[in-house]
Amino acid sequence: MEDRNKLAFGRKNYLLMLATIGALMLGFILMSLDTETYGFGFLGLTLGPLLLVIGFALGFFAILVKDKPAE
């Protein structure tokens, strides 16, 4: 009989998803802090979007990674 209490993801997946949310929040905050006109400074064009790409890649990795089953 199958185990009905087993969660879809393991602890590792949830921790990576929290890191994903943190990276995405930091990326959007950094883009909003840019003081250049229309956000054309370093924070708005380089660092913020780079953190967003890293955050989304980490999110896909967090979904796809297989956690070791607890014994």
Side-chain angles (χ1 to χ4, degrees):
M1 190 162 183
E2 64 187 53
D3 186 15
R4 295 188 185 265
N5 291 332
K6 186 167 169 43
L7 296 174
F9 296 118
R11 176 180 167 89
K12 184 178 183 180
N13 298 92
Y14 289 115
L15 290 175
L16 285 172
M17 287 304 283
L18 284 175
T20 297
I21 292 170
L24 292 176
M25 286 176 53
L26 186 61
F28 280 117
I29 289 170
L30 283 176
M31 285 194 309
S32 70
L33 291 177
D34 197 0
T35 57
E36 294 291 323
T37 308
Y38 302 113
F40 286 146
F42 175 72
L43 293 177
L45 284 179
T46 306
L47 190 58
L50 184 64
L51 271 174
L52 291 178
V53 169
I54 290 171
F56 282 116
L58 185 62
F60 288 126
F61 179 73
I63 291 171
L64 295 176
V65 71
K66 188 80 166 168
D67 202 13
K68 295 180 184 174
E71 294 183 33

